[in-house]
Amino acid sequence: EIVLTQSPGTLSLSPGERATLSCRASQSVSSSYLAWYQQKPGQAPRLLIYGASSRATGIPERFSGSGSGTDFTLTISRLEPEDFAVYYCQQYGGSFTFGQGTKLEIK
Amino acid sequence: EVQLVESGGGLVQPGGSLRLSCAASGFTFSTYSMNWVRQAPGKGLEWVSYITSSSTTIFYADSVEGRFFISRDNAKNSLYLQMNSLRDEDTAVYYCARVGFWFAEDLWGQGTLVTVSS
């Protein structure tokens, strides 16, 4: 089973700043099958990025994904107040696994 | 409206059984693979089970293999999860999710809470 490790566990930033979230896999992941989700308290997750770098429908351009192999990154170019949430990466490689999440909190 | 609505959660004793349902609407359910994903209180997301559009391929997380069974009825636009031999650690919000492009879950239900406790 492929294990995804996200870092940092918590990221404290201010609105307007740039956020960089990391997702590292225990073995190589197909870029086609790496996704990122956002979850706010009391809500279901929402798909942000699929295929490592493609934005889902309706996702603002400030969200971008990159990476390949075992290292993937979610970048939020300029934080808006509504971006403070928990973010998960997920891979599919015969089965599905999620990272443990990164909490993005207001500094 | 494109949506997924889960139901069937509740309080059950350890060792008991429960059947979750997920009603799909607003899209062609029969053409999509589906997932069940759960989230224990205060914890992260855990994938549970996957089923293809025609039910030809099914697989499960190791933590539920042999106890949980996924199924679907395309005529009723519905997905199911039969949960047997429930344990305390199965307590979670259970989400159904549509599997879209590149195996990403592009549509989620609001979740249904399952509590396993004596």
Side-chain angles (χ1 to χ4, degrees), chain B residues 3 11 19 22 35-36 38-39 43 45 52 54 58-61 63 65-66 72 74 79 84-85 87 92 104 112 114:
Chain B
Q3 63 177 357
L11 175 63
R19 188 194 196 207
C22 170
N35 268 342
W36 285 100
R38 68 183 180 183
Q39 187 168 37
K43 303 298 184 182
L45 301 171
T52 52
S54 56
I58 287 173
F59 44 89
Y60 302 94
S63 57
E65 180 83 55
R72 65 190 295 162
N74 287 341
L79 176 72
N84 301 328
S85 303
R87 305 167 180 168
T112 186
V114 172

Side-chain angles (χ1 to χ4, degrees), chain A residues 20-80:
Chain A
T20 302
L21 287 66
S22 174
C23 176
R24 178 162 290 177
S26 59
Q27 56 187 280
S28 186
V29 171
S30 169
S31 296
S32 297
Y33 302 147
L34 193 288
W36 290 92
Y37 301 85
Q38 177 194 68
Q39 188 179 33
K40 297 180 180 179
Q43 296 184 17
R46 177 175 72 145
L47 176 65
L48 298 175
I49 301 287
Y50 65 93
S53 60
S54 297
R55 272 187 302 277
T57 302
I59 301 303
E61 290 185 2
R62 63 180 182 274
F63 290 90
S64 64
S66 63
S68 64
T70 59
D71 289 295
F72 297 88
T73 301
L74 175 70
T75 302
I76 310 171
S77 60
R78 190 174 172 83
L79 285 166
E80 297 287 343

Side-chain angles (χ1 to χ4, degrees), chain A residues 30-37 47 49-51 90-98, chain B residues 33-35 37 47 50-52 57 59 97-106 108:
Chain A
S30 169
S31 296
S32 297
Y33 302 147
L34 193 288
W36 290 92
Y37 301 85
L47 176 65
I49 301 287
Y50 65 93
Q90 180 206 42
Q91 69 82 36
Y92 171 74
S95 68
F96 296 82
T97 53
F98 287 93
Chain B
S33 298
M34 299 292 294
N35 268 342
V37 176
W47 168 76
Y50 166 85
I51 186 169
T52 52
T57 298
F59 44 89
R98 185 178 75 178
V99 180
F101 291 127
W102 307 119
F103 290 92
E105 290 136 329
D106 61 359
W108 295 68

Side-chain angles (χ1 to χ4, degrees), chain B residues 72-118:
Chain B
R72 65 190 295 162
D73 185 336
N74 287 341
K76 294 183 178 180
N77 291 328
S78 292
L79 176 72
Y80 307 101
L81 186 67
Q82 177 66 43
M83 304 186 296
N84 301 328
S85 303
L86 283 160
R87 305 167 180 168
D88 290 350
E89 56 265 34
D90 295 320
T91 294
V93 174
Y94 284 74
Y95 296 100
C96 62
R98 185 178 75 178
V99 180
F101 291 127
W102 307 119
F103 290 92
E105 290 136 329
D106 61 359
L107 179 67
W108 295 68
Q110 85 290 348
T112 186
L113 176 62
V114 172
T115 303
V116 184
S117 175
S118 54

